[in-house]
Amino acid sequence: VTISTPTRPPSCRYEGFSRCGRRDLLRSEAANDKKTLKMNRALVARSLVSRAGFSTSARTAGNKVPQMQKEMQVPDGKLLYLKGGSGDRIFYRTTMGLVIFGVGYSLISLVVAMLPKKNE
């Protein structure tokens, strides 16, 4: 019984990682040259290092939701949307300013649209 190895598409050797696995790229016919082999290993190592930077194992922050719920439920007389501190105050005031500006601008636009222009 003859076991045939699956053949790779001819474009596999030249297109880098797009259609081939990393092992196939390192073992391909183009990797026979030492310079090409070094370059391919460097590419593989670089891709592995870049992916390691996005690891989630380094996270040590716990769940902050229960603590935030306790802070928000304290009856201290503050409005709920202002209990977050100075950032919430700035966000609230900016939003209210934009709302007031938008309402005023739309009313002025309506008044200008209602009054006809005088032809002289």
Side-chain angles (χ1 to χ4, degrees):
V1 176
T2 305
I3 299 174
S4 62
T5 59
T7 59
R8 291 184 297 275
S11 62
C12 180
R13 282 180 248 148
Y14 306 106
E15 292 183 10
F17 295 105
S18 62
R19 291 189 184 174
C20 301
R22 289 184 179 93
R23 290 183 184 143
D24 291 339
L25 184 64
L26 288 175
R27 293 179 184 152
S28 67
E29 292 83 14
N32 288 336
D33 184 23
K34 286 185 179 182
K35 188 174 185 180
T36 308
L37 183 62
K38 276 186 176 181
M39 185 176 69
N40 289 340
R41 283 188 179 160
L43 286 173
V44 170
R46 188 173 131 204
S47 69
L48 292 175
V49 168
S50 67
R51 260 196 295 148
F54 295 104
S55 175
T56 57
S57 63
R59 275 189 170 173
T60 56
N63 189 3
K64 296 181 181 180
V65 174
Q67 178 191 2
M68 291 298 291
Q69 284 177 342
K70 287 178 186 176
E71 290 176 12
M72 294 296 170
Q73 292 175 354
V74 173
D76 56 359
K78 290 183 182 177
L79 299 173
L80 179 64
Y81 47 86
L82 296 177
K83 283 189 177 187
S86 62
D88 280 352
R89 259 184 254 118
I90 292 170
F91 182 68
Y92 175 73
R93 289 177 182 163
T94 304
T95 303
M96 293 312 288
L98 288 171
V99 166
I100 291 169
F101 173 76
V103 169
Y105 189 75
S106 63
L107 290 176
I108 290 172
S109 299
L110 285 172
V111 169
V112 169
M114 286 188 332
L115 299 176
K117 292 183 179 179
K118 294 183 181 178
N119 293 331
E120 292 183 38

